[in-house]
Amino acid sequence: VVEWALGEFGERLCVTSSFADAVLVHVVSKVAPGIDVVFLDTGLHFAETLRVREIVQRTLPVTVRSVRPEQTVAEQADEHGPKLWARNPDECCALRKVEPLERALSRYDAWAAGLRRDESPSRANTPVVQFEAARSKVKVSPLYNWTQADVDAYISRYNVLVNALLRQGYASVGCWPCTRRTPPGADPRAGRWPMFDKTECGLHQ
């Protein structure tokens, strides 16, 4: 999948990563060394997530582009009130994730994301390649049919960096105000926005 995307789009292809692990980045870097990796630096990440970013920057042949929102967390609080994530998480995600992604993708024709069909019911029909009409971009999901067992085997085989939080009861890692540990056997994304009927931030809808 990555080879096809690289052949089609070349330098107009990027990868996005939340740095819950470095699996997708590792996979893509083997095919496209030097590729841009877009990271949405919301200003609300766990220290463990930022550590993954820092180590990836130092150890893998990729170019990490950290993209920040237009406003700092303090500036957002001044305009929208404190702790917007606790009152209107959709708006907070729009300001701190969706808008920065749209801005970051403006220089590319295609992007690769780490979505997997086994992650949650909302991702069960993830296509391997799709044209996003709203963005006028092609989105590829190279890991679309990987299982958690596949991910674990890849991590073990290549000693791929993993966010320390995944070993502390977090099945999915996002911004710290909206991420909780996941009960055993629950939907892996059940720890995201646990006080709301919400499992996606809007990047993949």
Side-chain angles (χ1 to χ4, degrees), residues 39-69:
F39 172 68
L40 303 178
D41 190 351
T42 64
L44 295 168
H45 282 296
F46 289 96
E48 290 86 347
T49 300
L50 299 180
R51 176 167 172 74
V52 175
R53 177 188 63 178
E54 291 163 5
I55 295 174
V56 165
Q57 288 181 130
R58 295 200 312 264
T59 62
L60 289 181
V62 297
T63 301
V64 177
R65 292 186 56 224
S66 293
V67 182
R68 296 178 175 85

Side-chain angles (χ1 to χ4, degrees), residues 135-152:
R135 291 186 172 115
S136 294
K137 309 289 180 187
V138 172
K139 178 180 176 181
V140 296
S141 300
L143 311 183
Y144 74 106
N145 64 346
W146 283 35
T147 64
Q148 186 60 54
D150 293 329
V151 173
D152 294 342

Side-chain angles (χ1 to χ4, degrees), residues 3 6 12 51 58 67 69 99 105 112 114 124 157 160 163 165 168 172 185 188 198 200:
E3 289 174 344
L6 186 65
R12 302 288 292 178
R51 176 167 172 74
R58 295 200 312 264
V67 182
E99 187 282 328
L105 291 181
R157 178 179 181 183
V160 175
N163 194 310
L165 294 173
Q168 299 173 25
S172 179
K198 176 177 170 69
E200 297 287 350

Side-chain angles (χ1 to χ4, degrees), residues 8-119:
E8 289 288 320
F9 303 106
E11 294 182 356
R12 302 288 292 178
L13 170 71
C14 72
V15 182
T16 59
S17 179
S18 64
F19 291 129
D21 60 50
V23 171
L24 178 64
V25 177
H26 189 276
V27 168
V28 176
S29 71
K30 292 167 65 176
V31 179
I35 195 168
D36 287 354
V37 177
V38 173
F39 172 68
L40 303 178
D41 190 351
T42 64
L44 295 168
H45 282 296
F46 289 96
E48 290 86 347
T49 300
L50 299 180
R51 176 167 172 74
V52 175
R53 177 188 63 178
E54 291 163 5
I55 295 174
V56 165
Q57 288 181 130
R58 295 200 312 264
T59 62
L60 289 181
V62 297
T63 301
V64 177
R65 292 186 56 224
S66 293
V67 182
R68 296 178 175 85
E70 295 286 356
Q71 295 180 316
T72 65
V73 175
E75 289 169 343
Q76 178 176 293
D78 287 342
E79 180 172 339
H80 299 277
K83 298 182 179 179
L84 180 62
W85 55 81
R87 295 178 285 106
N88 190 337
D90 287 342
E91 184 176 6
C92 190
C93 287
L95 293 170
R96 309 207 71 75
K97 287 188 172 183
V98 178
E99 187 282 328
L101 179 67
E102 307 298 333
R103 189 163 19 96
L105 291 181
S106 64
R107 66 170 70 181
Y108 306 103
D109 294 329
W111 61 301
L115 302 182
R116 304 196 328 264
R117 290 178 176 174
D118 78 332
E119 286 183 296

